[in-house]
Amino acid sequence: RLFGEFVQLKVSLEKDRNYDSQGSRKIVGQSSGSGLGLNLVMKFVSRMGGHIWVKNCEHGGGAVFSFCFPKGVESFCDEDGSRADSSRHLQAHDLSKEDASALRVLVVDDSVINQKVIKRMLERLGVKEIHLASDGLKALEFLGSESPVELPNVILSDLNMPNIDGYELIRHIRQMNQYEMPPKAMACSADWTRETEQTCTDAGFDGVLRKPITFTVLRDFLAETATADAELNED
């Protein structure tokens, strides 16, 4: 159960955002976890054919988390760390260099690590224009400073962030009149529940990319987006 999928209740999450474990009020903008970290770790390890376990320490010394991978794991894993699957590659979408270079992507996430991982995958896919924002407020400040021609046409946003979360961010974006053509906006979440997916679409997202986001999933999404944009331009 420790590695299972779970999320904080809204009341608990709001309390956790505002107060630390000692009951003191947090500094404004200090981020808080959503309770999905261990489940993500388990998924990463499992995709590479490994195992993860936990052992309690004696005398209240906490816990030790350990994992192992089979020898030669690199020989049967894709570039993104997921298991190789020939049938999946047959169904993969192509993303040409021309299509990739036409994409302007804004990544909104309060985790620097998540930002770096997504940015690196985008660069490997050939995307030249990549912008990063640590929360919804910074994203809106960036969007407000751009001209209509330079606005991002793809937005990848986390949901649980300080200041302005992903839900409020997309509501603001959908009300912006700078866009001649609305951007493709995807929520990035490790919460795989249908309720969260419905809440995202109701707020204005076009869909949800499930964390951990793999290289293949990101490539296919961008390829589909580029194809849809090309068809709209032809019309």
Side-chain angles (χ1 to χ4, degrees):
R1 295 182 61 184
L2 185 62
F3 294 94
E5 296 181 8
F6 69 95
V7 293
Q8 295 185 30
L9 296 174
K10 292 182 180 180
V11 175
S12 175
L13 183 58
E14 185 62 31
K15 181 179 179 181
D16 188 49
R17 285 174 176 169
N18 297 323
Y19 297 92
D20 60 22
S21 59
Q22 307 301 320
S24 301
R25 196 165 190 86
K26 288 184 176 180
I27 300 172
V28 175
Q30 182 176 347
S31 62
S32 174
S34 58
L36 293 163
L38 286 177
N39 184 252
L40 283 175
V41 171
M42 182 192 69
K43 288 177 180 177
F44 276 125
V45 173
S46 297
R47 286 183 175 184
M48 291 186 281
H51 299 279
I52 185 170
W53 65 93
V54 59
K55 181 179 180 181
N56 288 327
C57 298
E58 297 181 356
H59 310 299
V64 176
F65 290 82
S66 306
F67 61 89
C68 67
F69 297 115
K71 185 177 180 180
V73 64
E74 69 278 1
S75 65
F76 58 85
C77 285
D78 287 338
E79 295 174 326
D80 59 7
S82 57
R83 286 291 192 96
D85 184 347
S86 59
S87 62
R88 185 188 63 185
H89 287 295
L90 290 174
Q91 299 173 357
H93 295 79
D94 292 328
L95 180 65
S96 67
K97 292 183 179 180
E98 292 76 16
D99 288 341
S101 61
L103 296 172
R104 301 181 301 279
V105 183
L106 171 61
V107 179
V108 190
D109 200 306
D110 58 337
S111 168
V112 176
I113 294 177
N114 289 345
Q115 288 183 9
K116 289 182 177 180
V117 171
I118 296 295
K119 183 174 184 288
R120 184 177 178 183
M121 288 194 290
L122 290 170
E123 289 172 340
R124 288 170 55 196
L125 286 166
V127 179
K128 303 297 183 183
E129 191 171 337
I130 307 168
H131 303 280
L132 306 175
S134 58
D135 57 47
L137 181 60
K138 295 289 178 57
L140 289 176
E141 290 175 352
F142 167 74
L143 293 172
S145 66
E146 293 294 289
S147 68
V149 177
E150 299 171 337
L151 284 169
N153 49 19
V154 174
I155 297 175
L156 306 176
S157 177
D158 188 25
L159 295 177
N160 297 316
M161 298 180 291
N163 298 319
I164 293 181
D165 63 19
Y167 299 108
E168 188 174 353
L169 170 62
I170 191 60
R171 293 189 187 102
H172 281 288
I173 291 175
R174 293 312 186 199
Q175 294 173 0
M176 294 174 63
N177 53 17
Q178 291 100 315
Y179 276 104
E180 295 181 0
M181 182 181 298
K184 185 77 170 184
M186 300 293 287
C188 304
S189 175
D191 183 355
W192 291 32
T193 62
R194 292 183 178 179
E195 179 183 2
T196 295
E197 183 174 2
Q198 186 62 52
T199 303
C200 288
T201 54
D202 290 345
F205 283 107
D206 292 298
V208 179
L209 293 180
R210 311 296 189 186
K211 291 183 178 180
I213 301 171
T214 66
F215 183 86
T216 302
V217 168
L218 186 60
R219 180 194 62 197
D220 290 353
F221 159 69
L222 293 178
E224 291 173 359
T225 300
T227 300
D229 287 348
E231 292 175 351
L232 286 174
N233 291 332
E234 290 177 0
D235 294 340

